[in-house]
Amino acid sequence: EAADTKPEMSGPLAQYIGLHRHGAARATLLGHPGIALRLMIAHAMVGSSLWTVRRHDFLARKEDIQASVDGSRATAEMNAAGDHVRSLFEAHGLASLRANGDDYHLSDVFAALLGMDDTEALSVLTYIMADTMEAGGVIVEAVAVATETDMAAYWKPEPVFLDLVRDKRAINAMVAEIASPSTAKAALTDTGKAQKDLIWNRIVGEGCKANPGWRPGWMRVPPTRLVEAAGSPPADAWARIASLFTSDDGDVSPEDQPAAAQDAA
């Protein structure tokens, strides 16, 4: 463009035209939920001046915790889903996906999503939602209940877990669960290490029948605390929202959960 070429619109006129075009486009979008879905996915992936979404990057303070999570089944499934999503975009000519808020890249991702069928677009949506879900809050417990997550399928007791348990009350409560209340009472004055060895022996079947399916209350759905009235992040998180996902008699009611109802629909 030549340097002396004047814009054909003044600033106020450009704003006037821009706002009316914006209004017409978004009002029309109301009648196209499939396109709106793809546009929302693109915004969640790329961002804009109005959208800021960050993926969950897990960085543990301890190397053994990081190694445990990195090597988990859940991480493997997320990695596989991410590879699938990237392959879908590569098939539509997009080799790189960046959350940089650039409006051209946003349109590029949107165009690729418009070329996908509903099943493909929903698989992208599902991955992006899972990849941007915050850890350590009530929403994790809400999703676990709504999806009826089989926590036992994704986690099993391992040495690093028992190494991290330091509260002797909690350790003794686990002994009572996996062995018996009488065993826990007899072991009450034993060291924490001795009680944890007892728990591990029960899990692997050292001198007794193995119980590999045992899971502490912290790793059940919904989670429960091991020590009455003691602070427990997962149990406390569930307690905050339990009334939203349970019936009057206290049972978990998937039919009352919007996410579950949406899955069924």
Side-chain angles (χ1 to χ4, degrees), residues 4 42 141:
D4 60 352
E141 307 310 329

CSV table of all heavy atoms in Angstrom, one decimal, residues 4 42 141:
chain,number,residue,atom,x,y,z
A,4,ASP,N,1.0,7.2,0.8
A,4,ASP,CA,0.1,8.4,0.9
A,4,ASP,C,-1.4,8.0,0.7
A,4,ASP,O,-2.2,8.9,0.5
A,4,ASP,CB,0.5,9.4,-0.2
A,4,ASP,CG,0.5,8.8,-1.6
A,4,ASP,OD1,0.3,7.5,-1.7
A,4,ASP,OD2,0.6,9.5,-2.6
A,42,ALA,N,-12.2,-23.3,19.4
A,42,ALA,CA,-11.0,-22.5,18.8
A,42,ALA,C,-10.6,-21.4,19.8
A,42,ALA,O,-9.4,-21.2,20.0
A,42,ALA,CB,-11.4,-21.9,17.5
A,141,GLU,N,-13.6,-33.1,42.0
A,141,GLU,CA,-14.5,-34.0,42.7
A,141,GLU,C,-15.9,-34.0,42.0
A,141,GLU,O,-16.5,-35.1,41.9
A,141,GLU,CB,-14.7,-33.6,44.2
A,141,GLU,CG,-13.4,-33.4,45.0
A,141,GLU,CD,-12.5,-34.6,44.8
A,141,GLU,OE1,-13.0,-35.8,44.6
A,141,GLU,OE2,-11.3,-34.4,44.9
